Amino acid sequence: MADRTAGRRNHLIVFAREPRIGRVKRRLAASIGNVAAGFWYRRQLSDLLRRLSGSGVWRCHLHVTPVTALRSSIWPRPWQVHAQSSGDLGVRMRRALSLPRPGRVVLIGSDIPDIAPRHIRAAFRALGRADIVLGPAADGGYWLVGAHRRRAPPSFAAVRWSTSHALADTVEGLPHGTTVLLLDDTLADVDTATDLAAHRLTQRGQRSRARANEA
């Protein structure tokens, strides 16, 4: 049975864009077209919110952009919908992590297809032992950041986003004495056609292994 009491003190935040064709995944759209990129992102976002909404081990917060997306009827329960703040990615992340909630807060993006509930559970467990938890990405960035409210969240002020330095910059910018844990799984987001092809290849490999195990 899920620990509902603990769940009231665990908060999962997903950053998302309203999935409108021509306004999402523009780097991907440059290769596969606006319609295909828009449909991919809509399906990816829907699948992600469904997978991560039913555990009862955390509260679900969806931070959306643009602000007009707050009025959209597409957002499913039990997600509480908020507007992302203005500013660059670091400013928006820090403000989201700083909202007045007790306990532990984990933030992810909406374009990482392989995120599963076990990854979120692992992040909350890690925050029982550390002030900050990060999910490393193969490109030197990260796909998850979590913070315990006993300390201020990272400032993200000097992070070189979309580079191989993003994770290292984030860790280097933390105050002295901050304890940090990295999750075991290295995941990837989908920004380009190359990323999408790699993800689909991984999916085919997983399905092949599953069929082999069933044989």
Side-chain angles (χ1 to χ4, degrees), residues 73-95:
S73 61
I74 68 171
W75 310 121
R77 294 181 179 180
W79 292 89
Q80 300 175 38
V81 184
H82 315 262
Q84 289 185 32
S85 66
S86 59
D88 67 18
L89 178 60
V91 170
R92 287 181 280 129
M93 288 170 60
R94 181 174 175 82
R95 287 176 179 163

Side-chain angles (χ1 to χ4, degrees), residues 52-74:
L52 300 184
S53 67
S55 72
V57 182
W58 51 77
R59 292 188 174 187
C60 301
H61 303 271
L62 185 60
H63 287 232
V64 301
T65 186
V67 68
T68 53
L70 284 173
R71 299 194 295 270
S72 175
S73 61
I74 68 171

Side-chain angles (χ1 to χ4, degrees), residues 16 23-24 39 56 66 79-80 89 92 95 120 145 170 182 187:
R23 297 190 180 183
V24 295
F39 278 128
W79 292 89
Q80 300 175 38
L89 178 60
R92 287 181 280 129
R95 287 176 179 163
I120 308 303
V145 57
T170 298
L182 299 183
L187 303 183

Side-chain angles (χ1 to χ4, degrees), residues 9 20 22-23 32 43 47 62 64 66 69 88 92 101 104 120 125 142 151 157 180 184 190 193 202 212 214:
R9 297 181 62 84
R20 297 182 63 180
R23 297 190 180 183
I32 67 173
R43 184 170 57 251
D47 290 347
L62 185 60
V64 301
D88 67 18
R92 287 181 280 129
R101 309 180 180 102
R104 294 166 283 199
I120 308 303
R125 286 196 300 270
Y142 48 95
R151 279 184 179 265
V180 182
D184 292 334
V190 171
T202 299
E214 292 171 358

